[in-house]
Amino acid sequence: MAALEIVRIPVLSDNYVWLVHDPDSGATMVVDPAVADPVLAAAAGRGWTITDIWNTHWHPDHTGGNAAIKDATGCTITGPAAEYARIPTLDVQVQGGDAVCLGDHVASVWDVPAHTAGHIAYHFADDAAIFVGDTMFAMGCGRLFEGTAEQMFTNMQKLGTLDDATRVYCAHEYTLSNARFAVTVDPGNAALAARLTAVEAARAAGQATVPTSIGEERATNPFLRAPSAAELGRIRALKDAA
């Protein structure tokens, strides 16, 4: 089975849309399209036809391109059953424990509520990849808009069970601000200090810093490293106020 081809598409001010292609079947999926035109152009430039959209949650900067992409391609839109009322373009509703496929590549659906009440993630175990929307970022986690620190702590604990090599595809370029905050709450972490230096250089050169990996996050992400929900909540509150 050929490896998935995964393309990062920067849109808006700091969003990333992920274009995922299965060379064997020709199936092509978009994760969380904020807008349509750059995504359609990226696919067309590679000779790919978009067959699917997978949404992680309802926020407009993750679903705003759904309708136009569907109008242009006739693709099928899959997303969280718990948020179907807020994503009117959904064709297929899924929840934790379900499986979705791109060709022969199978992703398990994870329930990861906290940023939104029905947020989900898509884990391709055989491809060592997970699409997490706004649940985890490089050295960060999503704001607790519709959930609790306890829920986010559970999410982090589950993500922490994945192999270090698992690639984490998040939806925003928040890495520099996250790293600068992380060193204030974990100042003795040499790996974190080194990563901050590397991220500063990358961003100064205009380079993207995601995807990240579970191994990198295990070493440097204060939310993944938090020993309790109370501690995660404490540092999330500090980040919100920063």
Side-chain angles (χ1 to χ4, degrees), residues 21-34:
H21 179 71
D22 171 34
D24 289 335
S25 67
T28 303
M29 175 266 289
V30 183
V31 182
D32 286 348

Side-chain angles (χ1 to χ4, degrees), residues 69-106:
I69 294 172
K70 185 174 181 177
D71 286 347
T73 66
C75 67
T76 299
I77 303 178
T78 298
E83 297 184 356
Y84 76 93
R86 306 180 88 167
I87 311 176
T89 49
L90 280 191
D91 299 307
V92 179
Q93 301 172 32
V94 293
Q95 60 189 351
D98 289 340
V100 286
C101 298
L102 187 70
D104 289 332
H105 297 260
V106 180

